[in-house]
Amino acid sequence: MKKSLLLVSILALFFNSCSSNKNYSFLVGTYTENASQGINLINFDSKTNLVALEKVITGVENPSFVIANKSKTIVVTVEETASNDGGKVTSFSYNKSSKTFTKINSFFTKGNHPCTVAFSKNENYVLVGNYSGGNLSVFPIDKFGKLSENNQLIQYEGKSVNLDRQENPHVHSVVFHPTENRIFVTDLGRDVIEIIPFDENSKTFLQDKNAITIDVPKATGPRHLFFNKAGTKAFVTFELTNQIGVFKYNNNKLELVQTIDLTDDKTKNGSAAEVKLSKDEKFLYASVRGNDNFIAVLQLENEIRVIQKIPTGKSPRNFILTNNDKTVLVASQLSNTVSVFNRDLKTGLLTPTSNEIFVNKPVYFCEF
């Protein structure tokens, strides 16, 4: 009996060890400067903490934000550019056997500088937010990754009080609610969050006539939004004031309950960027660029407060927690690096490592 229990214990330790040591793959969106650059596919070995470049997907310009479908057979990216017809949205197929990407097609987004992209829940549509265009484009997509011309364009109008940064609408993120058929659109230029119901079976998809506009404090500039699993709380980066807005969500309403400063000095032209939540929902993470360049760690239990500001490379944009929550990869745009930080599961605190790789102007991570 004792031998059997000992064997079970040894096997449990073995499998736990194996499951915690995993290779991860990520697509990294970037800004490009020549034809040899594009979307970077990188690998991360959680056992050695080493990160390595596997390949670069070329043929796209400024593929800043990139996503993949659930089965990892289709990749969609924006091309953050400007023209008379706006930027572009482009799709690729991925062959898992040959590990090759094949470009399928592209469409203009009808708005300049697209900076956010998302699959609908059933992956029948791709939604693109155009920052300079101040609008939201919807593109049907088939199961093979072929995009169709956009069949819906929602154009916003207006501005807010910081005329240097809020002279027009600036759509910055599109987020699907975890449990409801609604999307949340942050508009940095108008200081609002749009709540729009959707219907996967409708030809227009977004039911924008039933949209609700939620005002946030003036001159804050809502940028990115992240829900808890239950969809009852939302955390929003206020870019212009370097703050996090904590919202309660219930019955189609967002209520701002707390605002947390990420920097000591008050500012009206800040550069807070991304926000993410740990899987146990005990800690929140946010990146701050500009003169600060750090990842802020916030504890959420009891009093919500900043417990760490850990320096990064220049202009930390997006970052990602690995599936086991033990590591954080940070994309520093102006340092041209993807850097590895260890994360303590109990305290939530980050520790820098010496492991990093060169990636030209990295902007966004998508687990692949």
Side-chain angles (χ1 to χ4, degrees), residues 130-145:
N130 300 295
Y131 181 82
S132 298
N135 54 26
L136 185 63
S137 308
V138 180
F139 297 84
I141 187 170
D142 68 20
K143 62 181 180 180
F144 303 107

Side-chain angles (χ1 to χ4, degrees), residues 196-337:
I196 310 175
F198 67 85
D199 182 354
E200 291 272 6
N201 299 313
S202 170
K203 291 182 179 179
T204 56
F205 181 63
L206 293 179
Q207 312 298 299
D208 57 301
K209 291 182 180 179
N210 297 317
I212 293 176
T213 302
I214 304 295
D215 293 319
V216 304
K218 292 297 183 185
T220 55
R223 179 184 172 96
H224 283 177
L225 180 152
F226 200 96
F227 274 107
N228 65 344
K229 296 185 190 76
T232 56
K233 292 181 180 179
F235 304 92
V236 180
T237 45
F238 291 159
E239 176 173 341
L240 302 184
T241 52
N242 283 347
Q243 294 174 317
I244 293 287
V246 182
F247 292 81
K248 285 184 179 179
Y249 176 73
N250 183 46
N251 195 26
N252 210 24
K253 293 181 181 179
L254 277 173
E255 177 190 359
L256 180 64
V257 295
Q258 189 173 355
T259 303
I260 301 157
D261 294 329
L262 297 176
T263 51
D264 295 331
D265 297 329
K266 300 291 184 181
T267 179
K268 296 181 180 179
N269 289 288
S271 54
E274 186 63 82
V275 60
K276 296 283 178 70
L277 189 62
S278 62
K279 283 187 173 60
D280 61 12
E281 301 190 349
K282 294 180 179 180
F283 300 96
L284 192 73
Y285 298 82
S287 55
V288 181
R289 302 163 293 162
N291 297 323
D292 301 289
N293 300 306
F294 63 78
I295 299 292
V297 183
L298 293 82
Q299 72 168 27
L300 299 183
E301 290 186 316
N302 302 319
E303 177 192 5
I304 302 177
R305 62 187 180 90
V306 177
I307 58 173
Q308 184 185 30
K309 298 177 184 179
I310 188 161
T312 64
K314 293 182 180 178
S315 194
R317 288 283 298 260
N318 192 248
F319 56 91
I320 193 164
L321 283 72
T322 54
N323 270 338
N324 61 11
D325 261 9
K326 292 182 178 180
T327 317
V328 177
L329 274 63
V330 178
S332 297
Q333 180 186 337
L334 298 184
S335 292
N336 300 306
T337 56

Side-chain angles (χ1 to χ4, degrees), residues 60-113:
V60 284
E61 183 180 1
N62 292 341
S64 54
F65 286 74
V66 57
I67 56 175
N69 64 344
K70 296 182 185 75
S71 61
K72 312 303 181 188
T73 57
I74 299 168
V75 171
V76 178
T77 183
V78 299
E79 297 189 49
E80 195 173 326
T81 56
S83 73
N84 291 334
D85 294 310
K88 289 183 179 181
V89 58
T90 300
S91 64
F92 294 82
S93 63
Y94 178 66
N95 186 308
K96 294 182 179 180
S97 298
S98 61
K99 295 185 177 182
T100 55
F101 295 85
T102 303
K103 187 174 180 178
I104 302 175
N105 63 345
S106 295
F107 283 99
F108 287 104
T109 62
K110 308 302 181 183
N112 285 336
H113 302 113

Side-chain angles (χ1 to χ4, degrees), residues 7 78 122 149 170 181 188 194 199 241 254 270 295 331 343 362:
L7 179 59
V78 299
N122 291 344
E149 182 68 73
H170 292 310
N181 288 344
L188 183 149
E194 298 283 351
D199 182 354
T241 52
L254 277 173
I295 299 292
R343 178 180 178 273

